[in-house]
Amino acid sequence: TQLLEQSPQFLSIQEGENLTVYCNSSSVFSSLQWYRQEPGEGPVLLVTVVTGGEVKKLKRLTFQFGDARKDSSLHITAAQPGDTGLYLCAGRQGAQKLVFGQGTRLTINP
Amino acid sequence: NAGVTQTPKFQVLKTGQSMTLQCAQDMNHEYMSWYRQDPGMGLRLIHYSVGAGITDQGEVPNGYNVSRSTTEDFPLRLLSAAPSQTSVYFCASSFSADRGKQPQHFGDGTRLSIL
């Protein structure tokens, strides 16, 4: 059983469309991070959200942390082929452990 | 600035063989960790270390050993390789584990196949 469930697991859309990826759990996290991973590379941190209800924007990407700190979403506006990749959410448990979701593999078609 | 360096990038082993995956970071980070990434499973924590001389188990520690004799290095040892250990292994480091905002810096991974 995955502690952090990401949905959808796969998403293929056309350039210019909007999309939302979800990261859900029944557990509370002290913070939540979103990473993007390219083939053959390690994940790279996009954002960290700490406060319940927090919203952070990174250009066309908007990240939101749920009020209860159990879930998060990533919204991409006007998706571009460069957004293609594996998106991973990771929640911090206690001081020392980071728990990852299984990832959403996003493909943006030109 | 090399960041987190993992070697080798690829390795094929036979069942029962042992080997060590190397991980080194040059950022003077206290916290280092090893993950394995399998299709549909995300990254699962194997072992982690909060500083030199201190290690602890993660979610899937069986079949793996670690040591942290220096701040820079955190090798992962497979004692007797099994096909179930076929995976992509990532090493990560961060300045400190004790702050929720600390980003983890990942290496590029070691792709390991056990025949």
Side-chain angles (χ1 to χ4, degrees), chain A residues 31 33 37 40 45 95-96 98, chain B residues 31 37 97 100 102-104 111:
Chain A
S31 65
Q33 297 177 332
Q37 185 177 16
L45 181 70
Q96 298 166 353
L98 200 60
Chain B
Y31 182 85
Q37 186 174 32
Q102 292 298 316
Q104 294 223 43
R111 283 145 189 80

Side-chain angles (χ1 to χ4, degrees), chain A residues 8 10 92:
Chain A
F10 299 92
R92 184 164 295 283

Side-chain angles (χ1 to χ4, degrees), chain B:
Chain B
N1 187 358
V4 178
T5 302
Q6 290 185 236
T7 56
K9 292 190 184 300
F10 302 93
Q11 184 70 50
V12 178
L13 293 177
K14 294 182 179 178
T15 298
Q17 287 185 316
S18 62
M19 81 159 292
T20 299
L21 279 62
Q22 301 292 344
C23 175
Q25 53 90 9
D26 61 358
M27 297 173 282
N28 201 31
H29 283 173
E30 291 181 352
Y31 182 85
M32 296 185 75
S33 54
W34 277 101
Y35 294 87
R36 59 177 290 173
Q37 186 174 32
D38 302 291
M41 301 284 291
L43 282 86
R44 291 182 290 169
L45 182 64
I46 304 172
H47 286 284
Y48 64 95
S49 168
V50 299
I54 305 170
T55 64
D56 207 343
Q57 295 182 349
E59 182 184 354
V60 288
N62 293 340
Y64 308 95
N65 275 358
V66 292
S67 60
R68 185 92 180 271
S69 56
T70 67
T71 299
E72 293 79 18
D73 300 300
F74 190 44
L76 177 72
R77 297 183 185 83
L78 278 70
L79 308 174
S80 177
S84 61
Q85 293 178 305
T86 293
S87 187
V88 182
Y89 291 84
F90 287 98
C91 178
S93 74
S94 63
F95 181 73
S96 170
D98 201 21
R99 299 171 188 175
K101 294 183 179 181
Q102 292 298 316
Q104 294 223 43
H105 298 263
F106 284 84
D108 286 338
T110 294
R111 283 145 189 80
L112 182 62
S113 294
I114 314 297
L115 305 177

Side-chain angles (χ1 to χ4, degrees), chain A residues 29-79:
Chain A
F29 295 99
S30 57
S31 65
L32 195 136
Q33 297 177 332
W34 283 91
Y35 290 80
R36 190 172 93 182
Q37 185 177 16
E38 306 280 357
E41 299 180 3
V44 175
L45 181 70
L46 296 173
V47 76
T48 301
V49 285
V50 179
T51 307
E54 183 176 2
V55 176
K56 281 193 173 180
K57 291 191 175 183
L58 187 66
K59 296 183 180 178
R60 292 175 294 99
L61 279 61
T62 301
F63 304 85
Q64 184 162 7
F65 202 11
D67 291 341
R69 290 184 290 125
K70 294 182 179 181
D71 53 80
S72 181
S73 63
L74 159 60
H75 182 78
I76 301 179
T77 303

